[in-house]
């Protein structure tokens, strides 16, 4: 564990250790950063065939599909809901799980990182109590706070990181947090 007081604490695998005390927003942001880094770690070292490998029939869930889906999730919750922007889906219709033979992991990770950066930018001036409206789906129209969005995003990543762990174990036997 890194203990340099000028930088965040990190685990041996490089992921940031979430804040355990302090102000609410930095704590929420640190937990989200931890889960984002976990997703990236789960995809590290996989080749193009492996990132397209589904866990087990009948599921078509793949590591590449998870990265694409989470790019969609980032755009939806931070840009569309919290910031109220009218932006289209990243990958067109659907939820990001559909794979394009021409799009590999490096491109999908770059898109995902871009969505994270843009979400951070548009939410930087918002308070945790600022609200937005869910754009579509079964809860369309409901008002949620930025705080709720952060909590939901942490939950979303935690769930999908569990999926990524199972996928990675199936692909090459690597497991872990």
């Amino acid at each position: 564990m890194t203990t340099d007081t000028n930088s965040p604490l990190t685990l041996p695998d490089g992921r940031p250790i979430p804040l355990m005390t302090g102000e609410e927003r930095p704590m929420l942001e640190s937990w989200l950063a931890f889960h984002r880094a976990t997703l990236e770690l789960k995809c590290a070292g996989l080749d193009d065939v492996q990132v397209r490998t589904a866990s087990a029939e009948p599921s078509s869930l793949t590591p590449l599909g998870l990265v694409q889906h989470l790019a969609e999730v980032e755009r939806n919750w931070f840009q569309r809901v919290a910031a109220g922007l009218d932006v289209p889906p990243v990958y067109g219709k659907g939820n990001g799980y559909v794979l394009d033979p021409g799009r590999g992991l490096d491109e999908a990770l770059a898109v995902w990182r871009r969505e994270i950066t843009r979400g951070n930018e548009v939410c930087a001036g918002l308070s945790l109590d600022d609200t937005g409206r869910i754009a579509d789906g079964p809860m369309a129209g409901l008002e949620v706070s930025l705080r709720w969005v952060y909590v939901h995003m942490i939950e979303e990543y935690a769930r999908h990181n569990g999926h990524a762990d199972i996928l990675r174990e199936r692909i090459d036997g690597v497991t872990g947090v």
Side-chain angles (χ1 to χ4, degrees):
M1 174 170 52
T2 302
T3 57
D4 177 356
T5 57
N6 295 323
S7 63
L9 296 176
T10 58
L11 294 170
D13 59 24
R15 291 178 296 160
I17 295 175
L19 297 174
M20 305 297 174
T21 61
E23 296 293 319
E24 182 180 18
R25 185 162 184 166
M27 188 176 294
L28 291 169
E29 290 173 344
S30 75
W31 274 101
L32 188 51
F34 169 79
H35 283 294
R36 287 169 173 157
T38 298
L39 176 69
E40 198 159 4
L41 181 66
K42 291 297 173 188
C43 295
L46 295 176
D47 64 30
D48 192 59
V49 171
Q50 291 172 317
V51 297
R52 296 170 186 280
T53 301
S55 59
E57 289 184 9
S59 175
S60 60
L61 187 63
T62 65
L64 179 55
L66 279 175
V67 171
Q68 293 178 169
H69 172 68
L70 286 161
E72 291 285 5
V73 167
E74 291 278 351
R75 177 174 283 190
N76 182 61
W77 289 106
F78 288 115
Q79 294 179 55
R80 293 177 75 206
V81 175
L85 301 177
D86 183 17
V87 292
V90 178
Y91 294 109
K93 282 189 165 185
N95 51 20
Y97 289 118
V98 176
L99 304 184
D100 177 331
R103 185 183 315 110
L105 181 62
D106 289 342
E107 180 183 342
L109 285 169
V111 168
W112 171 70
R113 289 183 195 111
R114 181 191 73 214
E115 294 305 317
I116 291 168
T117 299
R118 181 66 179 135
N120 289 341
E121 291 169 356
V122 300
C123 291
L126 300 177
S127 82
L128 291 177
D129 293 322
D130 284 338
T131 60
R133 294 212 176 268
I134 297 176
D136 50 29
M139 298 189 304
L142 292 179
E143 187 176 66
V144 296
S145 68
L146 181 58
R147 177 182 291 101
W148 185 93
V149 170
Y150 273 113
V151 170
H152 174 67
M153 290 295 290
I154 292 164
E155 172 271 328
E156 180 93 10
Y157 271 94
R159 181 169 19 96
H160 288 313
N161 283 336
H163 297 141
D165 199 39
I166 292 167
L167 287 164
R168 189 66 193 249
E169 184 176 10
R170 174 92 169 153
I171 291 167
D172 64 2
V174 174
T175 61
V177 292

